Amino acid sequence: MMDSEAHEKRPPILASSKQDRAPHIAGVGEMKHYLCGCCAAFSNIALTFPLQKVLFRQQLYGIKTRDAVLQLRRDGFRNLYRGILPPLMQKTTTLALMFGLYEDLSCLLRKHISSPEFATRSMAAVLAGTTEAIFTPLERVQTLLQDHRHHDKFTNTYQAFKALKCHGIREYYRGLVPVLFRNGFSNVLFFGLRGPIKEHLPTATTHSAHLVNDFICGGLLGAMLGILFFPVNVVKTRMQSQIGGEFQSFPKVFQKIWLERDRKLTNLFRGAHLNYHRSLISWGIINATYEFLLKII
């Protein structure tokens, strides 16, 4: 009886305080996919940026791995992480959007469109990739900062952005077409195949085993997509390394590169083996970090 009376005499403010906290907790839950994607991107860029620079030089100049490494050695350690700010800003933002928007749009489309789940998830993946393309200027500036031909023109991200300003807003989005193509179709394949690949891996019974499976799943997908879209990135890199002048179409730039590299597929894919290993590591880190954070948040 005393317990009942005590319960009745409790101030109502305690109940309302729980209600006040509920929206905040729900808000964190709704944003967790964005937060996990952002953190996964940060850890990946910090670990793999030097490897990305070697790959970039190969894509741009069609040189061998050894020559690209020698270029970086001549540039010195001071320039090794030159240009890391744009990819940090871009990847943390775009991967947050990639994972977050994919989940949100998948739920939204399922509620309002009566179509097979594969179709709604594919549409959500394409829309998420298209939204990511808004941040193409960061990828554009990263390309300029990594190109040693522009080392004397600007030394940081701000100067690179300022150098493009006089050419108009369109200059920031040079290379947008290959970015849209790559983002949309790679998202469809990544989200569509991630589940089936993990199902075919050995059953995980511990947290560490789950982490390994997520790393393998993300790494295999990343490596496959990296090879598949490698020529697209070669064309994108060439387009974005130019400042001012004519805006050439994707087919025209591709044809020019194809002729420069003696019409040999092996020359077009120069650096692809390094991209394979980089993508294997990068997407392994991204997927494992994302899934790990998703479970603990």
Side-chain angles (χ1 to χ4, degrees), residues 11 21 24 81-82 113-114 130 149 162 167 213 226 245 286:
R21 287 197 299 269
H24 175 70
Y81 276 87
R82 173 188 164 93
I113 299 177
S114 56
T130 302
R149 294 177 303 176
K162 191 175 180 181
H167 297 282
N213 277 3
I286 289 168

Side-chain angles (χ1 to χ4, degrees), residues 62-276:
I63 58 179
K64 296 180 180 179
T65 303
R66 182 175 178 274
D67 295 329
V69 172
L70 287 174
Q71 274 192 7
L72 292 181
R73 286 187 64 181
R74 286 195 295 268
D75 291 344
F77 182 78
R78 182 180 177 183
N79 288 315
L80 183 61
Y81 276 87
R82 173 188 164 93
I84 194 174
L85 183 59
L88 267 181
M89 294 168 63
Q90 183 220 359
K91 285 296 182 182
T92 52
T93 306
T94 56
L95 279 182
L97 290 175
M98 172 181 162
F99 285 106
L101 282 178
Y102 171 73
E103 294 295 334
D104 287 348
L105 290 170
S106 294
C107 294
L108 186 66
L109 290 172
R110 280 199 302 269
K111 288 179 182 178
H112 298 282
I113 299 177
S114 56
S115 59
E117 186 172 353
F118 171 77
T120 56
R121 287 192 172 274
S122 296
M123 191 182 301
V126 171
L127 290 173
T130 302
T131 307
E132 290 175 55
I134 294 172
F135 298 94
T136 296
L138 293 172
E139 192 169 352
R140 165 85 159 111
V141 169
Q142 177 193 355
T143 299
L144 295 176
L145 287 172
Q146 289 185 349
D147 187 351
H148 74 278
R149 294 177 303 176
H150 301 304
H151 280 188
D152 296 332
K153 296 178 183 177
F154 29 77
T155 58
N156 55 49
T157 303
Y158 172 76
Q159 288 181 354
F161 268 106
K162 191 175 180 181
L164 296 177
K165 186 178 180 181
C166 62
H167 297 282
I169 190 68
R170 191 183 176 196
E171 189 70 29
Y172 290 100
Y173 285 89
R174 191 182 285 269
L176 180 62
V177 171
V179 169
L180 285 170
F181 181 84
R182 179 199 64 193
N183 286 4
F185 287 101
S186 63
N187 276 11
V188 171
L189 293 172
F190 179 81
F191 288 115
L193 297 175
R194 191 169 54 147
I197 288 177
K198 191 172 181 181
E199 288 175 3
H200 284 81
L201 294 174
T203 303
T205 56
T206 63
H207 291 297
S208 58
H210 275 291
L211 200 64
V212 170
N213 277 3
D214 289 327
F215 182 90
I216 293 172
C217 176
L220 288 175
L221 265 175
M224 180 193 75
L225 296 175
I227 293 294
L228 186 62
F229 291 97
F230 189 83
V232 177
N233 279 323
V234 170
V235 176
K236 183 221 42 130
T237 300
R238 175 65 66 88
M239 293 171 79
Q240 292 187 337
S241 65
Q242 178 184 341
I243 301 178
E246 180 188 356
F247 278 77
Q248 297 180 332
S249 66
F250 183 94
K252 189 173 182 179
V253 176
F254 177 83
Q255 184 181 24
K256 185 178 180 181
I257 295 172
W258 178 252
L259 293 174
E260 285 178 359
R261 302 191 183 183
D262 302 322
R263 301 181 181 181
K264 292 182 179 179
L265 201 60
T266 53
N267 290 344
L268 185 64
F269 275 85
R270 184 165 283 172
H273 68 288
L274 186 61
N275 183 65
Y276 173 88

